[in-house]
Amino acid sequence: MTVRATSRRWAELLGQVGDVLSDVPAFLTAPLYRRWHLRWGATAAEVSASFPGDALVPGAQFRATRAIRIEAPPEAVWPWLVQVGCSRAGWYSNDLLDNLARPSATMIVPELQVLDVGQWVPMSPTPTERTALKVHSFAANEWLLWTKADSTWSWMLTPTDNGTRLVTRIRARYDWRHPLTAALSVLLMEFGDFAMIRRMLRGIKVRAEASRGRDHAVCQDPEHPV
């Protein structure tokens, strides 16, 4: 590895550490404002709307609907969701914690754009039925549903005049028949989820808007204006 590459890697790592440290207050205090962060960015209509997968986890103790406005059309947002996953394009969030310190992709990765029902959405290098999500169902550019035994994670992309409303919903059940797993789920969902999802939504927004800007710049050929 060259000196320049080493310096860049250290800069990336320090940036990831800084991201985690800046989110520590949100991690520690999330239960104190739970009712607010469970609907961060979402409208009342989005919170009350039905989403794919709502009926798959009855008795879910954790139910969150969050949203963000993106100034890019759904077809510019969708590819960023398709390639999500640990050791794939990452989670666009705290890479130090959820992507083995590998920086999340800042470009669309063509080889990760194949989406099939049943494929893994890994949350660790070695996905298992208990720890990893799977693609349950989807409608391209409209909605996507990931599931595992105790939870569902759905995404809804709604076109607007200026771009897209990206809404995500997580429903999780704490299964106390498996105390250690349930306790870990409580820790992750009640303390870690909000800061990570907020950063992920903002990460998708930045990437989708930047990619749209690049595409627009290519189209604005001065000799062949659109």
Side-chain angles (χ1 to χ4, degrees):
M1 184 178 290
T2 66
V3 172
R4 179 176 297 179
T6 301
S7 298
R8 184 173 64 249
R9 184 69 190 107
W10 274 108
E12 292 170 346
L13 186 58
L14 289 173
Q16 292 170 9
V17 171
D19 288 344
V20 172
L21 291 176
S22 69
D23 280 343
V24 165
F27 290 144
L28 297 177
T29 61
L32 301 178
Y33 46 92
R34 189 177 190 267
R35 293 186 63 182
W36 172 78
H37 78 64
L38 289 180
R39 54 182 297 168
W40 181 83
T43 65
E46 289 166 342
V47 171
S48 62
S50 296
F51 273 50
D54 280 353
L56 296 179
V57 184
Q61 297 101 326
F62 185 91
R63 301 182 296 276
T65 302
R66 280 82 169 237
I68 199 166
R69 179 176 60 85
I70 300 176
E71 294 182 4
E75 56 268 25
V77 178
W78 177 257
W80 297 100
L81 294 175
V82 172
Q83 63 187 27
V84 161
C86 179
S87 299
R88 287 169 53 84
W91 293 87
Y92 321 123
S93 185
N94 282 307
D95 292 325
L96 185 66
L97 301 179
D98 58 29
N99 201 39
L100 304 178
R102 294 173 55 182
S104 291
T106 56
M107 302 289 288
I108 300 300
V109 183
E111 56 267 34
L112 297 179
Q113 288 301 302
V114 176
L115 187 65
D116 295 312
V117 170
Q119 77 181 49
W120 293 110
V121 184
M123 303 184 79
S124 64
T126 306
T128 68
E129 295 287 346
R130 185 173 291 276
T131 64
L133 297 152
K134 283 186 177 181
V135 175
H136 178 278
S137 51
F138 64 91
N141 301 321
E142 297 179 13
W143 59 267
L144 173 61
L145 175 61
W146 301 328
T147 62
K148 60 188 184 80
D150 59 359
S151 60
T152 61
W153 190 347
S154 54
W155 297 86
M156 190 77 71
L157 298 83
T158 303
T160 66
D161 290 341
N162 298 317
T164 302
R165 285 288 293 176
L166 179 61
V167 187
T168 186
R169 175 171 294 171
I170 295 177
R171 293 173 59 87
R173 180 178 61 246
Y174 305 137
D175 185 357
W176 291 104
R177 294 173 299 177
H178 305 280
L180 291 179
T181 301
L184 178 60
S185 295
V186 169
L187 182 65
L188 292 175
M189 303 309 298
E190 301 293 343
F191 288 89
D193 176 74
F194 170 55
M196 301 290 281
I197 295 298
R198 179 176 61 178
R199 189 176 287 276
M200 183 179 183
L201 286 169
R202 289 172 171 171
I204 294 172
K205 173 182 172 70
V206 168
R207 287 166 171 79
E209 291 179 350
S211 63
R212 186 195 187 197
R214 288 192 295 267
D215 292 343
H216 182 72
V218 170
C219 290
Q220 296 302 311
D221 184 330
E223 295 185 6
H224 301 283
V226 177

